[in-house]
Amino acid sequence: MRTFLRRTRPAAVVLSAALVLAACTTTDDDTADGTAPAEAPAEGDEDTDTDDGMDGMDHSEDGEAADGDLTAEQIRTDLSHILQEHVVFAALATDAAIAGNEEGFGQAATALTEGNSVRLADYVGSVYGDETRDVFLELWNSHIDMFVRYTQAAAGGDQAAADAAVEELVEYSETLAAVFDDVTDGALPAEGSQPGILEHVTSLKEAVDLQIAGDADAAFTQLREAAAHMDMLAVALAGAIAEQHGIAGDASSDLAAARSKLNSLLAEHVWLAGAATGNALAGNDAAFGAAAAALTEGNSADLAALVGQFYGEDTEAVFLDLWNSHIGMFVDYTTGVATGDQDAQVQAVAELTEYVATLASVFESVTEGELPASASAPLIEEHVLSTKAVVDAQAAGDDWYAAALEAGQHMEMIANPLFEAIARQQGAA
């Protein structure tokens, strides 16, 4: 197992006429064990494995299984992303339900049960076969129904029905834990996963309760905590799958944690941006402010801190300013859409286009060429376009939840090559 050294390296990068990345000094004081991450997957590959196992599998762009090499680290990353996506879209659905937005609830619920749940079930099926996939999908969606019943009862003041739904959810945590024990042949014992599943249930319930109470700031804070918690379940599942099928790597290593966190934070960025722009266009000022704070003061700060782990505090601070600048551009675009100001929209799009080239150059410089600007620029551009599509769908009254689901999943295509470039540069690959 390689040693993953944190190194801050010289990185003089012109971000814009007013923004220059400060040079940093080299430090070797922090270490973390890990293995080399898998290569960035190719887009569009999908292949369902059989019950014979998953030895030698790789993953495609959207997280589905494909033939090739696969590491425990990548399994954790994939599962963490999908599980956190589940939490966020569940909260988007309950928020719409509480607000009485029936159309929005239906769209969010569809993205959750027919989008996210199917993606997770397909992942399970790629490991354990089609029959297990189908049974798991039905079981997984059943606890979404329980949350819907809880939300309806709690919002309507029916305490007895709310208590009954909570009891069902507690029983569900035991059932799912037993399933994990069985399908992993004991590699993930029920007593090892049940507390984590129960924590998922209770943490998401707390977010719903805060939504019902109308405390938007606390609700978004709790939502972020509930989503981040799912990585604990992902690492346990990934470790068990790797052990059961003899897959190389260490799902619990610091390297695996960093890779998973980068993927999840980039996806969360898109989801929170969608919540912020949606509330802005709807005129929900309090919810917009809460979502914007969760985005810029929470998600962006955590992403910058992760950058700082690799490149030091100076780079962390500059990256935070740079990253939040493009959020401001999206706010400007959204304001232009809301007011019908075409000039403002055009200006914001022009700034975002320039930002694509700037960020791609930053990635190339800080990774010392391991991630060329020519490779990352098209991926960053797709992020800008897919996030803009979310705003446009919101403004048009279309299904923005489906657009946000797609935009969030795309972020894997940025996170994977970026992390691999960092790992190669710093001696982990």
Side-chain angles (χ1 to χ4, degrees):
M1 183 168 301
R2 292 179 178 269
T3 298
F4 192 58
L5 299 178
R6 174 190 142 196
R7 299 173 187 168
T8 38
R9 302 181 182 230
V13 182
V14 178
L15 305 183
S16 67
L19 183 61
V20 179
L21 191 60
C24 305
T25 57
T26 302
T27 62
D28 293 314
D29 51 346
D30 292 332
T31 62
D33 292 333
T35 59
E39 289 210 4
E43 181 174 357
D45 281 343
E46 292 188 5
D47 183 29
T48 301
D49 205 355
T50 67
D51 290 308
D52 293 335
M54 58 180 286
D55 294 333
M57 288 190 341
D58 195 359
H59 279 200
S60 68
E61 170 189 349
D62 58 4
E64 307 302 334
D67 292 336
D69 294 330
L70 181 67
T71 64
E73 291 89 347
Q74 186 64 53
I75 298 174
R76 173 181 176 176
T77 295
D78 293 341
L79 288 175
S80 185
H81 183 145
I82 299 171
L83 290 171
Q84 292 188 48
E85 183 182 76
H86 159 77
V87 170
V88 170
F89 278 83
L92 291 173
T94 56
D95 188 56
I98 293 165
N101 181 359
E102 293 184 6
E103 182 178 16
F105 167 73
Q107 292 170 346
T110 297
L112 179 62
T113 59
E114 299 179 17
N116 171 266
S117 292
V118 169
R119 188 181 184 212
L120 179 59
D122 286 346
Y123 203 102
V124 171
S126 72
V127 180
Y128 297 107
D130 289 343
E131 183 176 355
T132 301
R133 178 250 184 222
D134 294 341
V135 173
F136 176 83
L137 178 59
E138 183 176 359
L139 174 62
W140 186 255
N141 276 340
S142 71
H143 94 288
I144 296 175
D145 292 337
M146 297 171 198
F147 268 115
V148 171
R149 290 196 293 275
Y150 174 78
T151 302
Q152 292 172 334
D158 188 342
Q159 191 60 49
D163 291 342
V166 170
E167 184 176 345
E168 284 184 305
L169 285 163
V170 172
E171 292 177 355
Y172 170 83
S173 72
E174 298 171 350
T175 300
L176 186 60
V179 168
F180 287 159
D181 191 336
D182 182 55
V183 298
T184 63
D185 295 329
L188 180 57
E191 59 269 22
S193 67
Q194 193 272 339
I197 301 168
L198 183 60
E199 177 63 24
H200 158 52
V201 167
T202 56
S203 62
L204 183 53
K205 173 187 173 295
E206 289 176 16
V208 172
D209 289 341
L210 290 165
Q211 289 175 334
I212 294 171
D215 191 340
D217 288 321
F220 273 104
T221 298
Q222 178 59 32
L223 173 58
R224 292 196 69 230
E225 292 180 2
H229 166 78
M230 298 303 280
D231 187 57
M232 295 175 62
L233 183 57
V235 66
L237 281 168
I241 292 170
E243 176 185 339
Q244 183 185 25
H245 296 282
I247 297 172
D250 181 2
S252 63
S253 70
D254 289 342
L255 180 62
R259 182 180 190 126
S260 179
K261 190 169 186 177
L262 179 62
N263 271 263
S264 296
L265 286 173
L266 287 176
E268 184 187 59
H269 160 77
V270 172
W271 303 327
L272 291 175
T277 56
N279 281 301
L281 290 169
N284 299 328
D285 292 341
F288 163 71
L295 177 61
T296 59
E297 299 172 19
N299 173 270
S300 293
D302 288 347
L303 183 59
L306 185 60
V307 170
Q309 289 180 22
F310 302 126
Y311 298 108
E313 293 181 357
D314 289 344
T315 304
E316 174 183 341
V318 176
F319 176 83
L320 179 59
D321 286 342
L322 173 64
W323 187 254
N324 275 341
S325 72
H326 94 289
I327 296 175
M329 297 169 197
F330 272 116
V331 171
D332 291 343
Y333 178 77
T334 304
T335 301
V337 170
T339 59
D341 188 338
Q342 288 291 333
D343 290 341
Q345 294 175 50
V346 170
Q347 177 63 27
V349 170
E351 291 177 354
L352 284 164
T353 300
E354 183 178 353
Y355 174 83
V356 168
T358 299
L359 186 60
S361 295
V362 169
F363 286 164
E364 178 171 5
S365 179
V366 297
T367 63
E368 298 178 338
E370 290 291 346
L371 182 59
S374 59
S376 67
L379 306 177
I380 302 168
E381 180 181 20
E382 180 61 28
H383 160 53
V384 168
L385 292 175
S386 62
T387 304
K388 176 181 176 294
V390 172
V391 179
D392 291 340
Q394 291 168 334
D398 295 335
D399 184 358
W400 73 268
Y401 300 94
L405 192 70
E406 180 178 352
Q409 291 173 2
H410 164 77
M411 297 305 278
E412 296 175 353
M413 295 302 294
I414 297 176
N416 283 333
L418 176 58
F419 191 83
E420 288 157 8
I422 293 171
R424 287 193 300 271
Q425 178 201 28
Q426 304 209 358

